[in-house]
Every structure is written in structure tokens, then in C-alpha cells.
Amino acid sequence: PADRRFLESAGPFTLDPGAVNDLTVGVVWARATTGDNLASITNLKVADDKAQSLFDNCFKVSEGPDAPDLAFQEMDRELILYLSNRRISNNYNESYDLKDPFIAIPDTMNGIYQGSDQDKDTLKMYKFQGYQIFQVINGGVSVNQLYDLSKSRLAFQVDLKDAVKKLVNFTFDESMNANIPQQMVDGGDLGIKHSFKITKDLFASGDNRLVNHKTYYFIAIAYGYNQFKAYDPNDPLKLDGQKVPYIASRKMAGGGGIISFSAIPH
């Protein structure tokens, strides 16, 4: 409620006569709820790094592989689901390969890229890894509800056969002052498939076979993988590792939001 005043500085730079210089200023705020007198400064540095990374990347957030399109063959108490990626998809031919500018390569890994920016950047690349297909309870379920078991159930998961299986993301929880793990996928490591036979309703009680002339809804997402260095909260030598090895679709090809697809066995 009191009077707040700030002094913001920039430069040094030369302002020529008649010239115009555009300045972009970021005001970053953070507050710790626990810890010593430096805890808020520690949080402020994290927020500052995020703000700087956003600015350096022209405020573009990291993008996972575009979600695939779904098509169905509708049969007697059975559906065949097909995955495909349009030419305008960033994952066409499953070629998703994008750099995450927010990955900070630790100095301890200098020997890997030997000071080369190009080699260093390869450690920041997320590459296509697999698909997850969910049956959702109705057409109004959003991608943000895929882990709500009352609305969504995992029907299929496929991934590259490359020994990359279980992916766990760690998200910092300020209330607990700790990085909380969440298993995002437990891969079968059996290779990619693009067609799937569906005969069971994952929301049914009792007889779970599909019912003719009933509408069923599905959402599919693709996901990418990066683990330039393994993260382990219990190992001091791995605290600077990759906390987010899994990155999922945020949109469909063309930039639209992820939607559900419906099919009716008959």
C-alpha cells in the first residue's frame, strides 16, 4: 500500500543525435515462504533466469511434438485407430527435433562439448520418443485432464526401441521446498506403431466390450525426450541434471488446441 519507487538502468550505449534506442526492461519478483534471509534472493535468481531465457528466445515457450491426428475404422464392437502426422506438423515423419533454450548446460559438462556452441546446443535438443493414446469420458475433456482417472484412461503407449523407458519429470514445489517427481511414461521399448485395435471400454464396469452405436472418445499426444545428464535429488553430483526429460504435445499441427476424436462401432 505504500509508495513504491524503482530505479532501472541500462547501458552503456551510445545515443546518436536524432537516433532512437528501444529499451526493454524486466522487473522480476519472487518471495520464499521458508528459509534464511537469502532464500528469497535464491528464488529471485531462478525467476530472473527464466525471464532472461524467455527474452533471449523472443518469448517463445518450449514446444513438444505436435499431437497426431486420429482416424478410425468402425466395425462390429470393434475400432481400429490410426495415427498420422500432417506435413505441416513439427513431427512429420516423426522428425521432431527442437532445441529448448531454457536448458542450462552445467559447467561440469565442459568436456562433452569442449567449448563448442554447436556441440553444446545438441545437448539442448528434444527429439521424438513416442505416443500416448487416452480414452476420455466425453468430448469435453481437455489435454490438461489426461491424468485425471475419472476423465481419462491410458489406452496405448508406444515408443522408440532405444532402451529409453521410464521418464520422470521433477517439478519444484515451493510449499515443500523440494523437486517432486511425477512419472510421465513407462515405455514398452518395443518400437513405434501407428494402428491399434480397440475392443474394450476402459470406463465400463462389468462387461467392458465395446457397445455398437455408442460414441467413444480418444485423445492422442506425442512426446519428446532429452536427458543431457541424469538428475538425482539424492546425488550432489547430479543436481544439475535434466529435471524434465519428458515434453508432451501442446497443440495440433497448424497451431490449434489438442482435441478429442470420436468413433462409433457398428
Side-chain angles (χ1 to χ4, degrees):
D3 182 16
R4 309 296 184 187
R5 302 181 185 224
F6 297 86
L7 174 64
E8 298 169 349
S9 61
F13 55 83
T14 299
L15 182 61
D16 295 326
V20 175
N21 284 15
D22 292 320
L23 307 181
T24 301
V25 179
V27 180
V28 184
W29 180 91
R31 180 176 65 186
T33 56
T34 60
D36 58 16
N37 61 314
L38 297 179
S40 288
I41 296 178
T42 300
N43 286 7
L44 185 68
K45 289 180 177 179
V46 173
D48 179 70
D49 287 343
K50 290 181 179 179
Q52 186 65 51
S53 294
L54 273 171
F55 176 80
D56 293 343
N57 199 44
C58 296
F59 298 95
K60 295 179 181 178
V61 297
S62 303
E63 290 288 354
D66 290 343
D69 292 308
L70 301 185
F72 296 89
Q73 182 178 355
E74 300 170 336
M75 299 182 292
D76 182 18
R77 305 193 74 171
E78 182 178 318
L79 299 169
I80 306 296
L81 180 152
Y82 301 94
L83 295 179
S84 64
N85 296 289
R86 285 175 275 169
R87 286 184 176 272
I88 60 174
S89 169
N90 68 8
N91 195 38
Y92 180 63
N93 287 335
E94 287 152 2
S95 59
Y96 168 79
D97 186 9
L98 291 179
K99 182 177 74 172
D100 183 350
F102 304 107
I103 292 178
I105 304 300
D107 293 337
T108 54
M109 299 184 68
N110 276 336
I112 291 179
Y113 54 85
Q114 299 177 340
S116 167
D117 288 339
Q118 182 177 2
D119 291 340
K120 179 180 178 180
D121 278 350
T122 62
L123 299 179
K124 299 183 178 183
M125 304 301 290
Y126 276 96
K127 297 180 181 294
F128 168 75
Q129 184 64 29
Y131 297 106
Q132 292 168 297
I133 303 170
F134 300 84
Q135 182 186 344
V136 294
I137 197 164
N138 58 50
V141 175
S142 71
V143 69
N144 296 323
Q145 299 171 308
L146 291 182
Y147 299 100
D148 182 345
L149 289 178
S150 68
K151 296 180 174 64
S152 172
R153 309 282 172 89
L154 181 65
F156 302 100
Q157 181 277 328
V158 292
D159 60 294
L160 298 176
K161 190 174 183 180
D162 58 0
V164 176
K165 298 181 180 180
K166 186 177 295 185
L167 300 182
V168 178
N169 283 356
F170 287 82
T171 305
F172 185 75
D173 187 316
E174 290 189 1
S175 64
M176 301 183 66
N177 196 32
N179 287 305
I180 307 302
Q182 179 182 2
Q183 180 175 303
M184 308 306 297
V185 64
D186 189 3
D189 199 38
L190 298 175
I192 298 297
K193 292 173 52 180
H194 299 96
S195 61
F196 304 86
K197 180 178 181 179
I198 303 171
T199 59
K200 297 180 180 179
D201 178 0
L202 299 182
F203 289 95
S205 57
D207 186 355
N208 62 3
R209 291 179 299 171
L210 296 186
V211 176
N212 282 343
H213 309 296
K214 178 180 178 179
T215 304
Y216 297 92
Y217 300 89
F218 299 87
I219 292 177
I221 59 174
Y223 64 93
Y225 167 75
N226 172 289
Q227 193 164 51
F228 63 86
K229 179 180 180 180
Y231 170 76
D232 185 345
N234 300 313
D235 186 342
L237 298 179
K238 295 183 178 180
L239 292 178
D240 56 358
Q242 172 62 288
K243 299 181 182 68
V244 188
Y246 167 102
I247 185 170
S249 305
R250 292 182 63 249
K251 59 182 180 61
M252 303 287 293
I258 297 176
I259 63 173
S260 62
F261 293 78
S262 63
I264 305 172
H266 56 83

